[in-house]
Amino acid sequence: MAERVRSVKGMRDLLPPETAIWAAVEDVARRIFASYGYGEVRTPILEDTELFVRGVGEATDIVGKEMYTFTDRKGRSLTLRPESTAPVARAFVQHGLADQGLPVKLYYVGPQFRYERPQRGRYRQFNQIGAELIGDPGPASDAELLLMLVRFLEALDYTGLTVLLNTVGDDESRARYREALVAFLEPHREVLGEDSRRRLETNPLRILDTKSPAERELLADAPRLEGHLTAQSRTHFEAVGQALEVCGVRFRVEPRLVRGLDYYSRTVFEIVAEGLGAQDAIVGGGRYDGLIGDLGGADVPAIGFAIGEDRLLAALPESFRRAHAPVAPVHLVAAGDVEPSQLLELAERLRAEGLDLVTELGGRSVKAALKRADKSGSRWVLLAGEDELAAGELSLRDLDAGEQVRLGPDAAIAKIKGQS
Ligand code: AMP
């Protein structure tokens, strides 16, 4: 036998019936985001590598070691998108969307690619649902974006949601803080691991979200960004919290939350839900007031989030799963010597009346067909024998009740739809 080809490491197939749940989750996202005035954007999966180097930042883990980058046949460097904020910002600039009037509200659903070490809940191709609110600098827009996100998670039956909120300040706040943090850490270089030592030069703020116990202990006494905020950054942050409070959204200020991407400024956040550890944030986001300018656009502020759909599904409340489990279609079975074409024609008529139907065209035994229907979770089987067809009727079998009645197609449909 020939050797089997398998899917690429860290990338997986999603199969029915699980795909039906994914689609249901995405439907909810589309409905809720539309109710806040967001429209869908679909950008290509491939971008010029430069977009991410400039947009996400050279010093980030993503650009430094996680990108799927290759040269195409003409020697251009292309990258499978590791995130979608930079592509959406590029599209915003490229199409002059600012001309339509600000703010512009966009959402996306789609695969992202990062060459990470595969482990539970971490894949090399994973899906994100995200939204970007471009062109409104005010704290109320931060709060509204968070509200939309919380409403979405609530609609999936998530409970105990807490927004973890922080500010990384504006450029000036960060520059001030960076200096103070480096001054504090420099004398303790020997405590820092290799990554953090490197970050001391490239991106010291990232050291704050270290997992190393020794580094965490050291950081307990480190200066806090809070103490270095400009008045403007502080006022903005306080106003976001106030708006969330007024709208009844539970949040906790998390001074160590810095997020891994270079483009963030001011508000950053993650959301945790009941039953999920803080390690398992299903969503992260924040403001990126400088990104659009960095990509050659005007100086337009923006804020967005990205939900990890794989994790969202792995932790999805059972109640949502149950409510959206696909209903197995009715089986239409030829009983006896019935022409397959006759059965096909009948099936088409029944589907036109709104019945979801699978046909058993094989002419195999009725008993086996009933077994298959039962196994598929279907409650109803329609049996079409020569007798029935001649009389313009069908036999409807209720597998749950173990009963069978003979009746016309309309009555059969009514009975199935009434589930009685
Ligand atoms: P980020 O784009 O890094 O801010 O991540 C946003 C969300 O995407 C995270 O909270 C995760 O839920 C999800 N995510 C990031 N990387 C992966 C991955 N390799 N596999 C699965 N989900 C991921």
Side-chain angles (χ1 to χ4, degrees):
M1 233 191 335
E3 207 176 312
R4 290 181 184 169
V5 180
R6 299 179 57 90
S7 61
V8 173
K9 185 175 173 189
M11 304 192 182
R12 59 192 181 137
D13 302 307
L14 298 172
L15 305 169
E18 186 62 6
T19 38
I21 307 290
W22 282 68
V25 165
E26 289 163 11
D27 282 350
V28 172
R30 291 173 197 285
R31 180 167 51 75
I32 296 210
F33 296 171
S35 80
Y36 283 77
Y38 284 69
E40 187 182 4
V41 55
R42 300 189 190 197
T43 62
I45 284 171
L46 275 180
E47 297 276 357
D48 271 338
T49 302
E50 190 197 343
L51 173 66
F52 302 110
V53 173
R54 271 169 58 187
V56 179
E58 212 149 0
T60 58
D61 284 352
I62 292 182
V63 174
K65 53 188 184 195
E66 294 173 357
M67 293 207 300
Y68 277 93
T69 298
F70 61 94
T71 44
D72 74 0
R73 289 168 195 277
K74 284 268 166 65
R76 285 174 287 242
S77 178
L78 302 180
T79 293
L80 281 169
R81 65 178 182 205
E83 59 94 61
S84 281
T85 297
V88 171
R90 176 202 49 71
F92 173 86
V93 174
Q94 184 172 337
H95 302 286
L97 296 188
D99 299 345
Q100 298 173 4
L102 298 175
V104 169
K105 300 177 178 181
L106 300 169
Y107 76 87
Y108 59 85
V109 177
Q112 318 292 335
F113 303 83
R114 293 183 197 171
Y115 197 87
E116 294 188 80
R117 199 159 57 80
Q119 47 186 289
R120 201 177 58 85
R122 191 164 285 280
Y123 306 98
R124 288 180 172 175
Q125 174 174 337
F126 58 98
N127 229 57
Q128 284 186 336
I129 300 176
E132 316 288 354
L133 168 49
I134 305 174
D136 187 340
S141 65
D142 301 27
E144 192 183 49
L145 184 90
L146 280 162
L147 273 166
M148 177 171 89
L149 185 50
V150 167
R151 297 295 173 247
F152 168 58
L153 295 171
E154 283 171 349
L156 301 181
D157 291 350
Y158 273 96
T159 53
L161 296 167
T162 306
V163 176
L164 308 180
L165 199 62
N166 194 22
T167 177
V168 293
D170 49 21
D171 288 350
E172 192 188 331
S173 317
R174 272 199 311 288
R176 285 190 203 171
Y177 179 58
R178 201 183 150 113
E179 226 170 274
L181 185 64
V182 172
F184 170 84
L185 290 174
E186 271 292 355
H188 303 285
R189 258 179 180 276
E190 76 289 348
V191 181
L192 301 178
E194 196 186 321
D195 275 351
S196 293
R197 243 178 272 172
R198 187 168 38 78
R199 285 181 178 144
L200 207 52
E201 265 90 57
T202 56
N203 195 355
L205 264 66
R206 282 298 312 286
I207 300 175
L208 296 179
D209 69 1
T210 176
K211 306 276 181 292
S212 143
E215 292 182 6
R216 277 177 172 242
E217 207 184 304
L218 174 65
L219 286 167
D221 300 322
R224 296 192 163 209
L225 196 136
E226 245 178 296
H228 299 76
L229 292 176
T230 57
Q232 243 178 348
S233 281
R234 182 182 306 281
T235 312
H236 182 97
F237 187 54
E238 284 166 1
V240 176
Q242 270 158 17
L244 290 179
E245 229 159 76
V246 169
C247 296
V249 172
R250 194 154 57 165
F251 71 95
R252 192 170 77 223
V253 176
E254 191 78 16
R256 300 254 172 265
L257 181 69
V258 286
R259 316 251 330 117
L261 289 73
D262 267 4
Y263 51 60
Y264 287 118
S265 53
R266 298 199 278 175
T267 312
V268 290
F269 56 85
E270 288 184 352
I271 293 187
V272 291
E274 223 161 54
L276 278 175
Q279 300 281 63
D280 294 320
I282 35 184
V283 45
R287 257 194 182 279
Y288 50 95
D289 291 340
L291 177 63
I292 290 170
D294 288 347
L295 295 179
D299 192 13
V300 179
I303 182 166
F305 62 75
I307 304 168
E309 203 177 353
D310 302 75
R311 285 184 208 169
L312 190 69
L313 268 284
L316 194 65
E318 216 26 65
S319 54
F320 185 89
R321 275 185 180 277
R322 264 199 311 275
H324 294 85
V327 177
V330 173
H331 284 231
L332 176 65
V333 176
D337 216 3
V338 175
E339 274 294 317
S341 57
Q342 232 183 323
L343 202 74
L344 278 182
E345 195 270 335
L346 174 61
E348 287 303 291
R349 269 193 286 141
L350 293 169
R351 289 193 187 104
E353 297 293 326
L355 213 58
D356 292 346
L357 205 68
V358 293
T359 47
E360 290 272 359
L361 297 169
R364 289 177 288 187
S365 90
V366 170
K367 203 171 137 198
L370 291 177
K371 252 196 195 153
R372 271 195 300 279
D374 196 32
K375 205 169 158 200
S376 79
S378 179
R379 177 174 171 189
W380 305 101
V381 177
L382 285 167
L383 294 153
E386 283 159 283
D387 263 17
E388 281 98 338
L389 290 179
E393 290 185 334
L394 290 158
S395 290
L396 175 64
R397 194 174 178 98
D398 180 343
L399 295 175
D400 282 3
E403 286 166 1
Q404 188 167 319
V405 286
R406 206 168 135 156
L407 67 195
D410 290 346
I413 290 171
K415 199 167 160 70
I416 292 166
K417 286 196 172 162
Q419 295 281 302
S420 60

